[in-house]
Amino acid sequence: MEHKKALIKESGNTSDGIYELLRRKILEFTLLPGETLSENTLAAELGVSRSPVRDALSRLVSEGCIVVYPQRGTQVSKISLQRVRQFVFMRTVLEKQVLAELCATGIAEEHFEMLEQSLMLQRQHYETQSTSELLYEDLRMHQLLYEFCGHKSAWVPFNMLDCDMLRISCLQIRTYSYNVTMAAVDSWENALIEHRMMFDALRKRDTQAVCLLCSRHIEQIVWSGEDLRRIYPQYFELDIA
Amino acid sequence: MEHKKALIKESGNTSDGIYELLRRKILEFTLLPGETLSENTLAAELGVSRSPVRDALSRLVSEGCIVVYPQRGTQVSKISLQRVRQFVFMRTVLEKQVLAELCATGIAEEHFEMLEQSLMLQRQHYETQSTSELLYEDLRMHQLLYEFCGHKSAWVPFNMLDCDMLRISCLQIRTYSYNVTMAAVDSWENALIEHRMMFDALRKRDTQAVCLLCSRHIEQIVWSGEDLRRIYPQYFELDIA
DNA sequence: TGCAATATACTTGTATGTTAGTTTTTCTGG
DNA sequence: CCAGAAAAACTAACATACAAGTATATTGCA
């Protein structure tokens, strides 16, 4: 317990530390979707008062990571495929525009090198099964694309709304790491190949190819989500769709 | 003071009431950009404790309406043209996609009637200078478009991120209502006309025309913002751009 | 008067009571 | 053993108290 407290205190104020701790635990499935939480219990476990816990929870609510039922309880939000579809729609449309602009203007060689390096790191993390690092690097690569075409800050909202998508990615990696027999359908292997193909198309400034690859790549997340819902229905919202 | 308290208590829990009150005041320029707030003062004025005030402020922070400097103070955020440009980029790209899909599939007549009714209300509110109602109806119309093409929930994030845009619209209306001599450049008159033209193009299912109108319409906000920054520089962030 | 050190009055962050509402448990009567 | 009511144990919402940091005002000295 005191150990956790020490970790929390590191990042400036207590509330921020709790926020980051809980967010990480949720995205890594240490706290499972649907699991109930309690301000009192959390505060006791972390050795702090309820105030910073409330602050942290409040922020997680605004990101859709947890849900609070007044006077009844708090729980880790279940993954909503509806939210995921909304998210995917937005990212697809925006990212196609970003890539189209990059094809139109071309990319500086130094920028290409940064992308290549990111892709290399991704493969590395993939082979060593460093889940968190892989996901982080994937996000960073997409972020770079926004940055290179002058829409750096248009990525920002996604950092607030990607809770469900990150959990799907994480769950997917875990599932297909443990079931080696299903390695054939491991779509992360696929994702890395698609990234490579996107780079090639970008070099050739082939707008159509890039956009097509981008759509398929992002929409893959929805398919993964639907697969995973069949395996872990308890982790998913039963939204009518 | 007790009057305010009563208003707050109406909407369920105290914290929600304070949130809505403050948000409205900020969007309507009752609380000016850059104006400093104080948890203590607010709590005293509203006749409540600091807890619900803190909750409300926390939510407003996550929407970018206010900024908290730890141990130093809290202030209403200034309008950031950079954020506005990001926002406009996102809305333009998404909304063009939405309109393109609507052109492709066509719109049901009953849906058209809803849009027409909204436009009628807008003109009505415009003529009676009902600022809030006009802005609300404008948002609702755009929301309807998302809904009609099956991406209803893709609008949701905008409700969280539109703080700056709403303030620009509000400020614009106020400015050009008070200075009748500038009525010629009143771009809301323009906006209503553009809405009408967009409907016509939608009926004809003329994708190109709709998308062009849409771009111009939304990007108009950036121009308004830059105009207004010259008039009220104190309300704007001096972001390097 | 000018300046520096100190005291004071602010700010938000954190801790702890208290209240109101919900769920669960327990006791009581049949 | 079962049903139902009362009570106890939870929940988050709200109120208050304290701590830690910052800016300002004030005071004392040169």
Side-chain angles (χ1 to χ4, degrees):
Chain A
M1 300 308 158
E2 291 302 317
H3 181 59
K4 282 184 184 172
K5 189 171 179 178
L7 281 176
I8 287 170
K9 296 287 180 180
E10 276 178 16
S11 52
N13 58 5
T14 316
S15 156
D16 288 352
I18 299 174
Y19 163 78
E20 279 162 25
L21 177 71
L22 290 180
R23 185 163 193 273
R24 190 162 44 78
K25 283 194 172 185
I26 290 172
L27 296 183
E28 291 175 358
F29 283 79
T30 309
L31 290 171
L32 300 175
E35 190 169 342
T36 66
L37 300 177
S38 155
E39 292 181 359
N40 285 311
T41 310
L42 276 173
E45 282 178 1
L46 300 173
V48 296
S49 80
R50 300 194 312 274
S51 305
V53 173
R54 264 182 82 81
D55 275 13
L57 291 181
S58 157
R59 264 188 278 179
L60 290 167
V61 166
S62 78
E63 295 181 14
C65 289
I66 70 169
V67 185
V68 173
Y69 302 97
Q71 258 85 28
R72 291 162 55 87
T74 304
Q75 63 174 234
V76 179
S77 70
K78 296 195 174 185
I79 301 170
S80 160
L81 282 186
Q82 200 173 325
R83 270 206 304 267
V84 171
R85 275 187 282 264
Q86 156 201 331
F87 185 81
V88 161
F89 169 72
M90 292 179 64
R91 256 195 66 175
T92 304
V93 176
L94 284 174
E95 217 143 314
K96 275 162 82 170
Q97 175 68 24
V98 163
L99 290 171
E101 288 184 15
L102 285 176
C103 280
T105 61
I107 305 184
E109 188 51 39
E110 60 190 281
H111 287 169
F112 251 121
E113 280 165 22
M114 291 173 74
L115 292 172
E116 291 287 355
Q117 197 193 352
S118 174
L119 185 51
M120 199 193 65
L121 282 173
Q122 285 173 52
R123 178 150 295 279
Q124 205 168 307
H125 293 316
Y126 172 72
E127 280 162 7
T128 60
Q129 296 195 4
S130 314
T131 310
S132 310
E133 289 79 3
L134 172 54
L135 290 176
Y136 172 77
E137 198 57 41
D138 179 61
L139 285 180
R140 209 179 73 88
M141 192 198 70
H142 287 275
Q143 194 174 354
L144 280 178
L145 292 173
Y146 282 74
E147 195 174 329
F148 292 161
C149 76
H151 296 296
K152 179 175 180 177
S153 47
W155 176 264
V156 176
F158 288 122
N159 285 324
M160 297 274 297
L161 303 164
D162 57 2
C163 171
D164 285 345
M165 205 204 64
L166 282 174
R167 284 195 289 183
I168 285 180
S169 301
C170 181
L171 192 57
Q172 187 189 17
I173 294 179
R174 293 193 171 208
T175 302
Y176 299 130
S177 305
Y178 298 151
N179 303 310
V180 278
T181 55
M182 298 182 75
V185 284
D186 181 340
S187 52
W188 267 96
E189 179 69 45
N190 229 334
L192 294 183
I193 295 172
E194 284 175 348
H195 282 171
R196 157 63 48 211
M197 290 169 74
M198 267 176 47
F199 285 177
D200 292 341
L202 263 178
R203 265 192 204 281
K204 289 187 219 153
R205 300 174 66 167
D206 182 344
T207 309
Q208 275 206 325
V210 166
C211 285
L212 189 64
L213 282 166
C214 173
S215 297
R216 284 171 43 93
H217 180 58
I218 298 180
E219 276 156 13
Q220 179 67 37
I221 295 169
V222 176
W223 294 102
S224 301
E226 285 166 356
D227 282 346
L228 290 168
R229 181 161 67 172
R230 281 183 217 106
I231 309 179
Y232 312 98
Q234 72 275 21
Y235 291 164
F236 287 78
E237 206 79 56
L238 31 68
D239 26 30
I240 28 93
Chain B
M1 300 308 159
E2 291 302 315
H3 181 58
K4 282 184 185 176
K5 190 171 178 177
L7 281 177
I8 287 171
K9 298 284 181 183
E10 276 179 13
S11 53
N13 56 8
T14 316
S15 156
D16 288 351
I18 299 175
Y19 163 78
E20 279 160 27
L21 176 70
L22 291 180
R23 185 164 194 274
R24 190 163 43 78
K25 283 194 172 184
I26 290 172
L27 296 183
E28 290 175 358
F29 284 79
T30 309
L31 291 171
L32 300 175
E35 189 168 344
T36 66
L37 300 177
S38 154
E39 293 180 359
N40 284 311
T41 310
L42 278 173
E45 281 178 1
L46 301 171
V48 296
S49 81
R50 274 181 55 206
S51 305
V53 173
R54 269 182 76 83
D55 274 13
L57 291 181
S58 157
R59 264 188 277 177
L60 291 166
V61 165
S62 77
E63 293 180 17
C65 289
I66 70 168
V67 185
V68 174
Y69 302 96
Q71 258 84 28
R72 292 164 54 89
T74 304
Q75 62 173 233
V76 179
S77 70
K78 295 195 175 186
I79 301 171
S80 160
L81 282 187
Q82 199 173 329
R83 272 207 303 270
V84 170
R85 274 187 283 264
Q86 156 201 332
F87 184 82
V88 162
F89 169 71
M90 293 179 63
R91 257 195 66 176
T92 304
V93 175
L94 284 173
E95 216 141 317
K96 275 162 83 171
Q97 175 67 23
V98 163
L99 291 171
E101 288 184 16
L102 285 176
C103 281
T105 63
I107 304 184
E109 188 51 40
E110 62 192 279
H111 287 170
F112 253 120
E113 280 166 20
M114 291 172 73
L115 291 173
E116 291 288 355
Q117 197 192 351
S118 174
L119 184 52
M120 199 191 66
L121 282 172
Q122 286 172 50
R123 176 149 296 280
Q124 205 168 305
H125 293 315
Y126 172 74
E127 279 162 4
T128 60
Q129 297 194 2
S130 314
T131 310
S132 310
E133 289 79 3
L134 172 53
L135 290 177
Y136 172 78
E137 199 55 42
D138 179 60
L139 285 179
R140 208 178 75 89
M141 193 198 69
H142 287 274
Q143 193 173 354
L144 281 177
L145 293 173
Y146 281 74
E147 195 174 331
F148 292 160
C149 75
H151 295 296
K152 179 176 180 177
S153 47
W155 175 265
V156 175
F158 288 122
N159 284 325
M160 297 275 296
L161 303 165
D162 56 2
C163 170
D164 285 345
M165 204 204 65
L166 283 173
R167 284 194 289 182
I168 284 179
S169 301
C170 181
L171 192 57
Q172 188 189 17
I173 294 179
R174 295 193 169 208
T175 301
Y176 297 130
S177 306
Y178 297 152
N179 302 310
V180 279
T181 54
M182 300 183 74
V185 284
D186 182 340
S187 51
W188 266 97
E189 180 68 45
N190 231 334
L192 294 182
I193 295 173
E194 283 175 347
H195 284 170
R196 158 64 48 213
M197 290 168 75
M198 267 177 48
F199 285 178
D200 292 341
L202 263 177
R203 266 191 203 280
K204 289 188 217 152
R205 299 173 67 170
D206 181 344
T207 308
Q208 275 206 326
V210 165
C211 285
L212 189 66
L213 282 166
C214 173
S215 298
R216 283 172 43 94
H217 180 56
I218 298 179
E219 276 156 15
Q220 178 67 39
I221 295 168
V222 177
W223 294 102
S224 301
E226 285 166 356
D227 281 346
L228 290 168
R229 182 161 67 172
R230 279 182 220 109
I231 307 179
Y232 312 97
Q234 72 275 23
Y235 292 164
F236 287 78
E237 206 80 55
L238 30 69
D239 25 32
I240 28 96

